Amino acid sequence: MNKPHILVIDDEPDIRSLIRDILEDEDYEVSTADSAVTAQQARHECRHDLILLDIWMPNTDGVTLLKDWSTSGDLSCPVIMMSGHGTVETAVEATRLGAYDFLEKPLSIAKLLLTIERALEAEKLKQENIDLKQYSNTIQEPLGSSPQIQQLLEQARRLGQHDTRILLTGEPGSGKETLARYIHEHSTRKQGPFIELNTGIITSHNALEEFFGREDGDSIHYGLLEKANHGTLFIDEIGDMDSETQHRLLSALESKSFQRIGGHEEVKADVRVIASTRRDLEEAIQNGQFRKDLYYLLNVACLHLPSLKDRKEDIPLLLDFYLQHYIKRENLPKRKFTIAAQQFLSDYTWLGNIRELRNVVQRLLILGIGDEIGLTEVKTTLGESARSVITSNDIPIFYDLPLKDARAQFEKAYLDYHLDQHKGSVTKLAETTGMERTHLYRKLHALGIEFKGKR
């Protein structure tokens, strides 16, 4: 269990020393500051879990300092105010500015420890609520029950007990994020945060700020490495990362420290990194698109997720899971697949893997009627049924379709994939595809691709 880090700000040395001794005896990590200036410096050095702030200090008093943090959006942890000359008005003002509580001096050790415990617990619940809202639309699907997947999950559980970096490979939509979360939940860091970044949806000019944060005067924007401190940072599609960010990330992982953009102090970060890629990184290294040293740093252990067509026995499980999930989440009428429809979908090629399967089930529930989802409805939703069959040479039969039909099949899968990558943003999809937005909207409607529900 990681120790909460508490910053004690008080201009009286005896009080700082006493509080520090008490808190360290209680197994907290403690930093101290004797003024607003040294407090700002301490906050630039690391991200604290709680701050004890004295009101009466020379130059800048505690309420003014709290107000500065509150108005600039830098109040990133609970603040407990302390004073030997406090008034009700002062306590009310401090609470209005965001302080968690107000303690009178001389401090009662029992009350101090109880207030700290409650403040940290309240912050934990607050963060859990934020995470719950953030991931309320994130589907924690099973990866499957096939022998390949069960072996993979066993390897993931073993790796979870060791703090090694892991590289996940596999086709788009094969479940790399789900596996990363599984590793985190079976690791010694499971009580810490799980932070995700898809490098494909950030631009090169803000990638460094996203990773490392930014300092603008006394204002601090915390980056993903600090937010993931004592937890796991999952970097999705790391092969798309630009060269400058690769260089900075390599340095941060090697030294376990970094500087925020615009900052000068070294910030410590205890983070486990799990990265994923759909690309052949060794080929990218040969082409000068990926750093060899970063590749070997990340690739301590490598897990490969097979595509759905290589583990067809998992398809019925996934079909049923998503069927029940969307029925409950969107309050849709109950429906079930006929045996013929399920068998057809089990033989389908699923070029988009689990992501495509999920989208198909959702469309069938939203657009369909009746208690059963039959073969004809499935074929209509998928387009030409021939695309779902694999030839003996492992070549999709839709290659034998007329060019117009085959192109429509490809466009549908292509646009569906990139729309998911961009979280339903048609603007970003237009940039990726090079299509004018009006034409793109018409294309999406013509192909029956839903984009509003992906946001």
Side-chain angles (χ1 to χ4, degrees):
M1 184 70 177
N2 298 303
K3 298 179 181 180
H5 194 164
I6 298 176
L7 174 61
V8 180
I9 308 170
D10 198 303
D11 63 322
E12 298 184 48
D14 290 344
I15 292 180
R16 291 199 308 274
S17 178
L18 174 63
I19 294 177
R20 180 171 198 152
D21 289 344
I22 292 170
L23 296 182
E24 287 181 341
D25 282 343
E26 294 295 322
D27 210 25
Y28 292 111
E29 185 177 352
V30 183
S31 299
T32 60
D34 60 4
S35 66
V37 174
T38 54
Q40 294 286 31
Q41 182 179 351
R43 293 193 73 225
H44 279 253
E45 291 174 356
C46 70
R47 191 173 182 228
H48 300 91
D49 297 299
L50 183 140
I51 296 174
L52 291 170
L53 176 58
D54 185 34
I55 289 182
W56 300 106
M57 296 188 298
N59 299 320
T60 303
D61 63 84
V63 173
T64 300
L65 189 57
L66 177 65
K67 185 176 182 180
D68 289 343
W69 291 339
S70 180
T71 55
S72 63
D74 288 341
L75 203 59
S76 59
C77 68
V79 177
I80 298 173
M81 307 298 290
M82 306 180 295
S83 177
H85 310 282
T87 63
V88 173
E89 290 79 8
T90 305
V92 169
E93 175 66 6
T95 304
R96 186 185 69 80
L97 292 171
Y100 174 79
D101 207 342
F102 182 94
L103 297 177
E104 289 186 286
K105 294 179 180 178
L107 297 171
S108 160
I109 295 177
K111 187 173 183 180
L112 171 67
L113 295 176
L114 180 60
T115 304
I116 289 174
E117 182 180 345
R118 287 177 174 173
L120 290 172
E121 182 62 26
E123 183 66 16
K124 180 182 178 182
L125 292 173
K126 175 184 173 184
Q127 189 58 51
E128 287 176 351
N129 187 47
I130 292 173
D131 292 343
L132 181 62
K133 290 180 179 179
Q134 181 178 356
Y135 296 112
S136 60
N137 292 324
T138 300
I139 304 169
Q140 298 302 303
E141 74 271 7
L143 282 167
S145 56
S146 61
Q148 302 101 304
I149 292 300
Q150 289 306 303
Q151 182 180 6
L152 187 68
L153 295 179
E154 172 60 28
Q155 293 173 335
R157 288 191 294 270
R158 291 203 303 269
L159 286 171
Q161 299 307 305
H162 303 277
D163 220 18
T164 55
R165 301 183 189 96
I166 301 173
L167 182 65
L168 307 180
T169 63
E171 294 179 3
S174 56
K176 296 188 286 293
E177 179 192 342
T178 302
L179 184 58
R181 289 181 181 277
Y182 185 88
I183 295 170
H184 174 74
E185 290 300 322
H186 289 80
S187 74
T188 55
R189 294 175 177 264
K190 63 182 178 181
Q191 298 301 323
F194 178 91
I195 303 296
E196 177 193 0
L197 173 69
N198 187 326
T199 56
I201 62 174
I202 61 172
T203 59
S204 57
H205 75 272
N206 70 357
L208 290 175
E209 185 172 331
E210 285 288 330
F211 267 104
F212 306 107
R214 174 178 291 278
E215 293 184 19
D216 185 8
D218 289 333
S219 179
I220 304 173
H221 165 71
Y222 295 107
L224 296 177
L225 278 173
E226 280 183 273
K227 291 178 180 179
N229 198 31
H230 303 312
T232 301
L233 176 61
F234 173 54
I235 307 175
D236 195 17
E237 298 301 348
I238 196 165
D240 296 336
M241 184 181 291
D242 66 271
S243 57
E244 184 178 2
T245 309
Q246 288 182 38
H247 172 72
R248 289 285 297 269
L249 178 62
L250 173 69
S251 176
L253 294 180
E254 286 182 328
S255 63
K256 295 186 178 180
S257 65
F258 60 92
Q259 290 183 355
R260 302 185 192 97
I261 307 304
H264 304 287
E265 301 290 339
E266 288 292 319
V267 179
K268 299 293 183 182
D270 175 22
V271 178
R272 180 191 198 159
V273 172
I274 301 176
S276 78
T277 181
R278 70 188 185 283
R279 303 177 59 186
D280 184 339
L281 292 186
E282 292 187 356
E283 181 180 332
I285 291 170
Q286 295 298 321
N287 296 333
Q289 297 171 331
F290 200 81
R291 295 182 64 102
K292 181 189 295 186
D293 42 9
L294 179 59
Y295 171 72
Y296 287 116
L297 189 70
L298 294 171
N299 191 20
V300 177
C302 182
L303 296 178
H304 178 74
L305 279 100
S307 62
L308 269 185
K309 68 182 178 64
D310 293 329
R311 50 186 180 99
K312 291 186 176 182
E313 57 265 55
D314 288 329
I315 292 175
L317 171 68
L318 294 170
L319 287 171
D320 183 65
F321 173 83
Y322 282 110
L323 194 70
Q324 302 308 320
H325 172 83
Y326 285 118
I327 287 172
K328 292 177 182 177
R329 193 185 79 167
E330 301 184 10
N331 197 27
L332 295 166
K334 290 184 178 180
R335 307 188 75 199
K336 63 180 181 180
F337 289 103
T338 63
I339 295 176
Q342 183 168 296
Q343 183 59 53
F344 183 85
L345 290 171
S346 294
D347 291 332
Y348 187 64
T349 56
W350 298 115
L351 299 180
N353 290 292
I354 297 175
R355 183 183 291 117
E356 184 185 6
L357 181 147
R358 179 184 68 200
N359 294 342
V360 167
V361 172
Q362 187 178 24
R363 284 200 296 271
L364 286 166
L365 286 172
I366 293 173
L367 301 176
I369 56 174
D371 295 336
E372 290 190 333
I373 303 172
L375 181 58
T376 301
E377 183 181 351
V378 166
K379 287 183 176 181
T380 301
T381 299
L382 293 173
E384 291 294 332
S385 61
R387 188 171 89 77
S388 69
V389 184
I390 298 294
T391 68
S392 58
N393 294 322
D394 205 31
I395 299 174
I397 290 181
F398 80 84
Y399 282 7
D400 296 328
L401 293 174
L403 178 60
K404 179 182 177 181
D405 295 334
R407 183 172 57 209
Q409 303 259 346
F410 168 77
E411 286 179 345
K412 187 170 183 291
Y414 173 84
L415 293 174
D416 231 346
Y417 166 72
H418 284 291
L419 198 59
D420 268 324
Q421 290 292 97
H422 296 309
K423 311 297 183 187
S425 171
V426 178
T427 300
K428 292 181 178 178
L429 179 63
E431 293 174 359
T432 299
T433 60
M435 296 176 67
E436 193 273 326
R437 286 181 64 184
T438 302
H439 177 61
L440 182 56
Y441 276 114
R442 286 200 296 266
K443 176 69 72 175
L444 292 173
H445 286 299
L447 294 172
I449 297 174
E450 295 288 333
F451 54 89
K452 293 183 179 178
K454 297 175 184 288
R455 294 172 182 168

